[in-house]
């Protein structure tokens, strides 16, 4: 994988005209997935460290299964499945498709082998090539969905792998080259917004997941949003001030969780002899004070915000702010993730919001099995906005809603503060 | 307790002028609490069936502790605590007050005895009487808060007791007299609302908890709200149609929970030889088809709504509808809970909404220990609106926000459908 | 209860001629049970602090159920059960008798009330009185069994109550009077035994449980047995030497258990400001250095023995030693538990052995429901020998086998060392 | 691996003169371990399906670590460890050696790779070759111990692999060739023994683990031992007679376990459309009625014996019977496992005994880290005697004590009945 984690694959795999060259985009995305595993051993590709995470090999298989199940088996009469057992093995959570291999046992799939999975990928790609010209519009829509689905799994593949390797006493590095250093962030900047009635949700131009719509009005009260992400230096100040030992800073559920899990720092931080270090794609590295803090739960983000006399932004505020000024543009520029305002390449992270993941007004899940894609997860999770250095460029857009449980920490999750004004 | 569960105490304990006669209201509320336990044995009063619930005796003690801790010990220099150990024994979750007796071990408090607790109550009431004239305005505000706090615990005392008795192989009845029968509900009525920008949250007249404000604008899309609660007959149709066996009707977390807990009917329903029955305040009784279904979780409510081709209302929609027409008035009238549109006395229930329990815009928890009252629970819970037959009348108002976890079923929780129009 | 825990009831309730006056012995034992609860409140009598323990009220009911189920309902045609629901409510673990109330929910039995249970007891006693003359020999055997069964429950009633009260922040004392002080133990004495082939198990004179037989030969190698129990002073030396922090002293399962449960002292020991104290029948008291250590698990006993360069005795060694010299006599004498060699009244405890609880050669459980009494528990438990100050005198005999799981600590369990010679 | 599971490697790796050619035996055993994995993929070698089991790769590494830690690092001054991180990675449970990689996370060791482990093996073997001539007697003793240790892990490697593959929806076969068929067992034969005082434990000739001694006398009562193992046909009769639904046949803990785990057949049995099948080294195969039942827990074995009106033998009875007549010889003969009395090659299994795993009289664990080998596991486990088709021939001897927890089923465990006479 090496430099894949922070370089080219993410930045060239999407283009404004991918709908006009859907087949080309398909191959670009497929290639990017495989490239992520190019430097992994067969053994690395099989790791599953918890039920929430999946092996790299499984991600490669499941993203292929998606095209096979929803397009090839459905719209291509002559299609022969690569292996009839894969229908169950690579089904993630689609009840309407049939039985699913137990999620916690994905790491026990020594068979099919990684080689089998790569052959499966090639088989699917050849079948799409052969049938592409004859696919009806509905199938093309699903093809585009599958392409975005696969990009989501690219990021998960990386975060899952990082989690699995974090259990190794060898602290293996999966990225090559020098550890990037973040530039110092300057003085705190607060962007002010007047609020009022505004429009939210995807506009209808270009691709979006169903949970990004329908577009609708929402009323905001005046607020300010921090120009910078909270950094590791900020987080150490929180820790030094007893942030992890002060229950009054925490939500009740958050405090219970933090005590049970003995949290005293972000995930992957290790207390070394002299100072904290953290496990990362570069192995065990020093804490970069200027880099955004990462691998924190919603509960920690919320406690930090309370400690700082601020609060988390709502997902509406984040989306509104992007409309006002190109937040995204600050991180992704000229083919490389470069900072505007100071954040280092490696550290760009998803920002927790205070918004529960819920359906937008008049949201309807689509009919059929793909209807299970998003809607059934709209409970108990919190929305994150932004995107991380592991996020393919084509996934970063103003209306994109990422979501995880408030206790989860293995994603590239950080925070950005907001305030009432 | 007998008829306490559905009669006088709730209906006379509040009055529009309670602020002008705060001391009178205090005694009325205090008396109502004790009256709820008048027919309970010492043994009944000690029951704790799960960590979420507390013994009746503990509720009587804790509500007294509230006045002692926040008013007497703080504002009355000459006050001597009744028993210094009670500071810990009856502290529920106020970290800033100090140590708390372990929540799951409240049922192990054979000491203090119920007699001790009743003496404690009398001591507190005498001390408030003696110091009332000299209390500063801030203390009077806390006194009013304590009064509403005690009303909340009156409802919890009843639901907790019902839960504890449900484990008895004897199916004891705690209410006396005949089981009330619900009138048949007529044809379904849908009330239509145009939506638009409207105002929500407590207006500032009369008492409200901090989580009911600040008042703020919110934009609603047009919707319809059912004129009636979902009944047991409706629920049996859902069951008969395989509602509990159809994963596609459920949120993913809901389905997992339902499978793990082997749900196949509402809480307290028992499959008898001939037909279902349910455990209630009247012991084991037949299912009344016309009564609102009760003791269902948010997950079940959500699945039912999907099955019915509808959805749960948002808390804003519920509050908006009340403003438009006096929903509350339909249930509480002339000193008795009577139906408007058909619901039986006993069956009036809280309605789950689709809204996560979250702070309103610009919400700030108050300073000091009372700041722990509501704010720290604003995660992972869902809002219920309405009120039940166990709810003291003084607690039922348009802006009142009740909240529980989506899997919880031991409250008087039912549902009312909504639709987009 | 007060002084009941360490005085008269235990010492007069058994007599060598109880078989000749079985009815008299029956009433003596029954009265002793009730006397144990004489000073308890209704609330104390309902406490259940864990699944392993039962409420005092339940013990009173269950011991009555035993006579009702196995004698009255079986041998007395005219007998009418006191309450048909009690068959299930007070069945402990007799599968062949029918359904059982869930063990963990015994503390939720506010009904039947303690008064109901006392009436039940009187009903059973009257029925035994009325039918005694006509009972066949098999029923008389069961009556004698029930009498010994009830004595076992007397000890459990006290240990269960102590456990339940240990959760009270008030540290209530259930015994009255001054805390007894143990006399200093003199120099260590080791009794030597030559071993060889010897006979073990109950001889057939007087009552014994089925698990105490059949009598059989066993070969012992030469050994020495300590003349004294391990004292609290000994235990503090073990603690001071890092006994709880040295894994090499422990069995692997024991170490895992100790870590999981965070053991750093015997059960009920509290680290006070100045020194350790322990919760006891006298409330929170200082650690008496001369008293036998109590409330330790088998795992702790085993680790201590290894630390001391000794080992635990086998149950055969304990029984053999009793035969050689009257160990029992040292503790129970002249109507009071007095020390021979130095142990204080309160501290006499059961001694863990290294023997797994297993059937003796040719053991057969008796036919019928009483066959479930002992045999089905012969797995995963360890034998204790001796008896404690909570043990009715009639239960203390050379062949008596007590048994608990190796992690359990709430019984009056201590240890006595042995050595190979 | 293929035929490795049931053929040559086990039968030629031991010889009566292995002490005289210790280095030769070392290489034979080492080669046999590697041969077991010859046909496994890198992915198969990494599987860990539960905390009790370990990956094949880890077994290969750990058995090398044993020689490195206890011999090379200790007795060979010039020795350089292959990789300093391996000291922790491959330490199983030796607390005195230092930190251990978490047992449940052995399946997450993608690094070191299988190739690294094979290089490690070669490194260790070369180092032993180079230093063998200069090793002192104590080191040679440890070398012999390590050789037997490695044989134990050969069997575990196979049982662990079988367990891991049982989670695969593909039912992969790891053995090649036809499924062996067992010959029908003839009429039941019972061997009678007079009992009396006899000698037990290893005699001192040849190698034995410390837990097999010291030799000592034990008294046995007359008994009979079945000449044949319980077969699958016998087990089906037990199932058909409601064995898994009759609590009175079971130990109390066994019944609780069986209910919790929903046992209704041996491990690996699958209810097919027509009949039961079982997962085995040959994939999913039909149940051979004549083969010994396998993969049952102690609890199931005990329940079966009670159902059959018999009991499990003690470990002493098993050892005594071997002395009387060559039980081992019946299964292992002329370089192949052949039946005497009817049992098929594949089906020979370990037999559960009624004996708890406990120290023999005067047992002392050896000093030093190797002292952790056996002694600390002497709690809560039951002894098995005999050996299975997965057991290297060199491990099968009259005094060998295998031991597992009573609920465990993934070993090659069956049963042989005994009776009192």
């Amino acid at each position: 994988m090496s430099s894949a984690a922070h370089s080219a694959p993410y930045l060239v795999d999407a283009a404004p005209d991918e709908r006009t060259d859907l087949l080309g985009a398909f191959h670009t995305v497929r290639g990017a997935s495989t490239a992520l595993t190019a430097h992994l051993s067969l053994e690395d590709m099989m790791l599953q460290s918890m039920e929430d995470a999946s092996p790299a090999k499984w991600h490669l298989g499941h993203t292929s299964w998606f095209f096979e199940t929803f397009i090839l088996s459905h719209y291509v009469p002559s299609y022969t499945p690569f292996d009839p057992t894969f229908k169950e093995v690579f089904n993630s959570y689609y009840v309407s498709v049939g039985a699913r291999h137990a999620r916690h046992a994905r790491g026990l799939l020594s068979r099919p082998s990684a080689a089998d999975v790569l052959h499966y990928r090639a088989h699917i790609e050849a079948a799409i090539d052969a049938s592409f010209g004859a696919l009806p519009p509905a199938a093309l829509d699903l093809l585009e969905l599958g392409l975005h689905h696969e990009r989501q799994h690219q990021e998960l593949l990386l975060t899952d792998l990082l989690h699995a390797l974090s259990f190794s006493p060898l602290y293996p590095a999966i990225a090559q080259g020098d550890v990037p250093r973040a530039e110092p962030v300057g003085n705190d900047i607060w962007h002010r917004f007047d609020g009022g009635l505004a429009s939210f949700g995807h506009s209808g131009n270009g691709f979006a997941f169903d949970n990004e719509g329908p577009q609708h009005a929402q009323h905001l009260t005046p607020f300010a949003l921090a120009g910078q992400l909270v950094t590791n230096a900020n987080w150490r100040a929180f820790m030094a001030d007893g942030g992890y030992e002060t229950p009054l800073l925490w939500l009740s559920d958050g405090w219970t969780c933090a005590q049970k899990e003995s949290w005293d720092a972000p995930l992957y931080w290790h207390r070394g002899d002299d100072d904290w270090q953290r496990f990362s794609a570069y192995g065990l590295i020093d804490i970069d004070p200027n880099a955004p803090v990462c691998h924190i739960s919603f509960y920690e983000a919320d406690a930090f915000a309370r400690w700082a006399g601020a609060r988390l932004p709502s997902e509406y505020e984040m989306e509104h702010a992007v409309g006002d000024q190109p937040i995204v543009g600050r991180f992704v520029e000229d083919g490389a993730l470069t900072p505007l305002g100071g954040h280092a390449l490696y550290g760009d992270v998803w920002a927790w919001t205070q918004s529960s993941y819920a359906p937008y007004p008049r949201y309807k899940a689509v009919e059929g099995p793909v209807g299970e894609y998003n809607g059934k997860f709209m409970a108990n999770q919190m929305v994150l906005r932004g995107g991380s250095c592991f996020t393919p460029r084509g996934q970063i857009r103003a209306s994109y809603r990422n979501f995880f449980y408030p206790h989860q920490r293995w994603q590239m999750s950080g925070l950005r503060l907001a305030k009432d004004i």
Side-chain angles (χ1 to χ4, degrees), chain A:
Chain A
M1 187 191 76
S2 69
S3 59
H6 58 279
S7 67
Y10 295 141
L11 305 171
V12 299
D13 73 347
D17 61 348
E18 65 182 25
R19 181 72 195 186
T20 59
D21 182 14
L22 187 56
L23 190 58
F26 170 75
H27 284 291
T28 302
V29 169
R30 297 285 292 176
S33 298
T34 309
L36 287 177
T37 65
H39 294 261
L40 297 181
S41 70
L42 297 180
E43 293 151 298
D44 289 337
M45 288 181 70
M46 209 177 97
L47 293 169
Q48 182 183 32
S49 50
M50 60 171 172
E51 184 160 350
D52 289 336
S54 297
K57 182 170 78 176
W58 190 89
H59 285 295
L60 293 185
H62 167 67
T63 48
S64 305
W65 171 95
F66 192 94
F67 292 109
E68 180 175 67
T69 304
F70 297 122
I71 299 175
L72 294 170
S73 296
H74 203 70
Y75 292 101
V76 182
S78 63
Y79 178 72
T80 305
F82 179 76
D83 184 316
T85 66
F86 285 13
K87 185 181 177 192
E88 177 174 338
V89 166
F90 290 119
N91 183 356
S92 53
Y93 55 69
Y94 293 86
V95 173
S96 53
V97 171
R100 286 130 286 148
H101 181 67
R103 184 168 181 165
H104 68 269
R106 289 177 186 164
L108 298 181
L109 291 167
S110 62
R111 330 239 177 140
S113 68
D116 293 336
V117 171
L118 292 175
H119 286 136
Y120 181 38
R121 290 184 68 83
H123 175 88
I124 297 299
E125 287 156 24
I128 292 288
D129 280 340
S131 62
F132 186 76
L135 291 177
L140 294 177
D141 286 349
L142 287 166
L143 188 65
E144 190 181 20
L145 177 64
L147 191 155
H148 288 269
H149 170 259
E150 182 141 354
R151 282 188 186 123
Q152 291 182 312
H153 278 276
Q154 288 168 4
E155 178 158 4
L156 292 173
L157 187 159
L158 294 172
T159 53
D160 291 357
L161 179 63
L162 195 65
H163 191 263
L165 292 174
S166 77
F167 287 85
S168 168
L170 310 178
Y171 299 119
I174 50 173
Q176 295 173 333
D178 293 338
V179 181
R181 300 288 303 172
E183 293 298 315
V185 179
N187 292 334
D188 284 1
I189 296 169
W190 289 89
H191 298 284
R192 300 168 66 91
F193 300 89
D194 292 337
L197 202 63
S199 178
F200 297 90
H202 193 254
S203 66
N205 295 321
F207 175 84
F209 289 107
D210 66 352
N211 64 359
E212 299 174 51
Q215 214 173 19
H216 62 285
Q218 186 76 12
H219 187 264
L220 299 184
T221 52
F223 68 100
L225 191 66
Q228 54 289 323
L229 292 159
V230 168
T231 65
N232 286 324
N234 300 148
W235 202 264
R236 293 178 84 136
F238 170 69
M239 289 165 63
D241 197 38
Y244 281 101
E245 294 89 44
T246 309
L248 290 173
L249 292 174
W250 295 67
L251 287 163
S252 181
D253 286 353
W255 181 251
T256 301
C257 180
Q259 295 305 295
K260 189 179 159 202
E261 304 290 331
S262 301
W263 289 348
D264 60 357
L267 182 64
Y268 302 145
W269 285 37
H270 292 254
R271 203 190 294 268
D273 291 333
D274 297 324
D275 197 359
W276 289 94
Q277 290 190 293
R278 73 185 193 92
F279 178 66
S280 73
Y282 293 89
L284 201 59
I285 60 173
D286 292 339
I287 306 291
D288 184 342
N290 300 312
V293 68
C294 192
H295 297 302
I296 54 164
S297 65
F298 167 80
Y299 293 135
E300 289 162 290
D302 175 82
F304 179 94
R306 194 168 290 109
W307 171 80
R311 60 170 174 81
L312 297 182
S314 72
E315 63 167 322
Y316 286 116
E317 289 169 341
M318 289 287 284
E319 184 169 334
H320 190 62
V322 175
D324 235 55
Q325 45 179 305
I327 279 194
V328 173
R330 297 191 296 172
F331 303 117
V332 184
E333 201 169 80
D334 294 335
L337 294 170
T338 53
L340 186 78
H343 291 300
L345 172 74
Y346 179 76
D348 295 323
V349 296
W350 288 97
W352 286 107
T353 74
Q354 65 171 216
S355 301
S356 296
Y357 179 50
Y360 281 162
R362 299 176 176 277
Y363 167 78
K364 289 267 186 252
V366 294
E367 294 288 318
V370 179
E372 295 185 62
Y373 198 106
N374 275 310
K376 72 179 184 184
F377 301 108
M378 290 174 172
N380 303 319
Q381 307 203 48
M382 303 303 290
V383 174
L384 300 99
R385 292 287 187 118
S388 82
C389 66
F390 279 0
T391 313
R393 184 181 176 177
Q395 295 295 94
I396 298 181
R397 60 183 167 270
S399 60
Y400 189 89
R401 307 172 80 194
N402 201 355
F403 49 92
F404 283 94
Y405 289 96
H407 68 277
Q408 291 177 321
R409 317 205 294 171
W410 94 108
Q411 291 300 306
M412 302 294 283
S413 50
L415 81 156
R416 179 184 297 276
L417 297 175
K419 277 186 182 172
D420 296 319
I421 55 174

